[in-house]
Amino acid sequence: MLQPIPVPENVLEYVLSREAARLLDDADVRITDFTRRQRPAIENFVVCDFRLVDAALAWIDDADLACGQRFCEWGSGFGVVAMLAGLRGWESCGIEVEPALIDQAHDLAEDHDIDVQFAAGSFIPEGADELLDFVEDISHIDTDCPSGYDELDTDIADFDLFFAFPWPGEHGFWEAVFERYAATNALLLTYHGIESIKLQRKVS
């Protein structure tokens, strides 16, 4: 079962660190340049409000909501959220199916000296195929790519906090994967559009 945790209305009062601000400025330039140059375009690559997500991470830390410090970004793209978590001291990683985005994430993390891992593959763990039968529209999710957890030498149940930006209509599937395979008391933070973010805990 998933238990909602209300996000404070004033969460954006948390201030970006100087390192995070530099990261976001650089990421914005690189993402803009990448989307202009990349052909064919990666249709599934859409960025969220990184400032809002960083504020949510700060609040989660401040309120001591997580049971540990292992973080995973599902569909990590340029890996910005995973890097923001890394800057906050989380043992952080990202899973992404597009090799070109993995390359960009590695370069960005290296240039900002942020300790974060990235794996090529799917956020869906092995054996989760039965969940696909309960979802009407998962056209933006690659269900054929091998799971990324092996490359990270870890298991989905090892993480304490996940972040995801599902497409409209696909939130139920991402939540089903989390509810089925994440550890009890793990947290799922999801982005739902402009100034909208949701936090849920898996409870027994």
Side-chain angles (χ1 to χ4, degrees):
M1 185 172 70
L2 301 187
Q3 179 186 71
I5 301 175
V7 178
E9 293 183 1
N10 65 342
V11 69
L12 279 170
E13 291 182 1
Y14 284 94
V15 179
L16 275 175
S17 68
R18 284 178 292 182
E19 293 82 4
R22 286 196 294 268
L23 171 66
L24 296 194
D25 286 344
D26 190 14
D28 182 62
V29 172
R30 296 189 192 205
I31 290 169
T32 299
D33 182 61
F34 177 82
T35 54
R36 287 174 178 167
R37 290 186 296 101
Q38 179 68 19
R39 294 294 181 273
I42 300 175
E43 295 182 0
N44 292 349
F45 178 51
V46 180
V47 299
C48 66
D49 182 344
F50 298 126
R51 170 71 184 88
L52 175 60
V53 177
D54 183 70
L57 294 176
W59 160 64
I60 290 168
D61 272 345
D62 193 46
D64 198 24
L65 294 174
C67 294
Q69 289 288 300
R70 299 196 72 181
F71 177 91
C72 183
E73 182 181 7
W74 283 347
S76 52
F78 265 60
V80 177
V81 174
M83 293 178 217
L84 290 171
L87 286 174
R88 293 192 173 278
W90 289 74
E91 184 181 343
S92 184
C93 69
I95 298 175
E96 171 57 52
V97 298
E98 294 287 350
L101 295 176
I102 291 280
D103 291 341
Q104 294 292 324
H106 279 303
D107 290 345
L108 184 60
E110 183 177 351
D111 289 347
H112 286 262
D113 195 25
I114 300 173
D115 185 14
V116 58
Q117 286 185 283
F118 294 104
S122 172
F123 74 95
I124 305 171
E126 299 292 345
D129 294 346
E130 75 273 12
L131 295 178
L132 302 177
D133 297 333
F134 300 97
V135 183
E136 294 181 2
D137 181 12
I138 52 171
S139 58
H140 297 283
I141 299 175
D142 188 334
T143 59
D144 298 321
C145 185
S147 173
Y149 300 100
D150 288 343
E151 186 175 335
L152 294 170
D153 193 26
T154 189
D155 185 82
I156 188 172
D158 294 332
F159 294 98
D160 305 294
L161 173 61
F162 298 86
F163 171 77
F165 180 11
W167 282 78
E170 296 177 351
H171 294 86
F173 177 72
W174 297 67
E175 291 174 0
V177 171
F178 173 76
E179 184 174 9
R180 178 68 179 273
Y181 293 100
T184 300
N185 292 321
L187 298 170
L188 174 63
L189 182 67
T190 48
Y191 181 73
H192 294 254
I194 298 173
E195 296 184 356
S196 180
I197 202 161
K198 181 179 180 181
L199 182 67
Q200 299 177 89
R201 185 188 300 280
K202 178 178 175 179
V203 296
S204 58

